[in-house]
Amino acid sequence: MPMLFTGGIAAVLSFIVIAFIFIKRKKITCMAGMMAAMALGMLVGLTGGLLAGISYNGNLFLSTILGMAFGFLAGFLAGMPISIMAIIDGVLSGVMGGMMGAMLGEMIAPEYRDSTVHIMLVLFVGMACIVLYMLQQETGFNRAFLINKLFHNPL
């Protein structure tokens, strides 16, 4: 159950970041777009590889291919509206993250799998919020945006 929940949250946040990049592509600089593509590709690859490594334990080849495919797709989609360089950065970081996540998922002892998935979910949500905040600051987006409210809250 935590793996399905983590995968769903990761997919929704990835879609939000990619949609934001597509909508605001005219205002996002090449460097910020490359950074967002790299970060999203690595996050999706690492999380997808971890979930695939846990799900297909004992089949390192399949879990590595799945993790690399998830990272490749996310990095490609995040970099596509920006430039070829952003696509290359996003794809390569996604492939690398997928390989690392698959190895991590294979090596984890069964009693630590749920806690590792929870840690990865917290890292994914935190980093996705930071990427959205960076893109929001880059584009001068509306101050009423949820991420801006979260980061400017004194608590």
Side-chain angles (χ1 to χ4, degrees):
M1 183 64 180
M3 291 195 311
L4 183 63
F5 179 73
T6 302
I9 294 291
V12 168
L13 282 175
S14 300
F15 176 74
I16 290 171
V17 172
I18 291 169
F20 190 89
I21 292 172
F22 266 93
I23 291 168
K24 296 291 185 178
R25 65 182 171 264
K26 299 280 190 217
K27 293 185 178 182
I28 296 174
T29 63
C30 189
M31 187 60 70
M34 285 171 33
M35 189 69 208
M38 286 177 66
L40 190 67
M42 180 66 75
L43 285 170
V44 170
L46 195 58
T47 305
L50 174 72
L51 296 177
I54 290 172
S55 297
Y56 299 105
N57 196 6
N59 193 350
L60 183 60
F61 178 74
L62 179 62
S63 59
T64 303
I65 294 299
L66 285 175
M68 288 170 53
F70 291 144
F72 183 98
L73 185 65
F76 180 80
L77 290 176
M80 190 170 55
I82 305 300
S83 68
I84 295 293
M85 185 63 78
I87 292 173
I88 292 170
D89 285 345
V91 162
L92 290 177
S93 66
V95 166
M96 185 175 65
M99 286 188 281
M100 289 188 308
M103 287 186 288
L104 177 64
E106 286 282 335
M107 292 187 295
I108 284 181
E111 61 266 13
Y112 299 119
R113 287 182 179 160
D114 283 346
S115 58
T116 306
V117 169
H118 290 153
I119 290 169
M120 190 57 64
L121 176 64
V122 169
L123 284 174
F124 192 97
V125 169
M127 289 296 116
C129 288
I130 289 172
V131 168
L132 276 174
Y133 183 70
M134 175 197 70
L135 291 172
Q136 175 194 0
Q137 294 301 315
E138 184 75 23
T139 61
F141 197 61
N142 187 357
R143 289 194 51 90
F145 194 54
L146 177 66
I147 300 299
N148 203 3
K149 285 183 178 181
L150 289 174
F151 277 102
H152 289 319
N153 189 352
L155 290 177

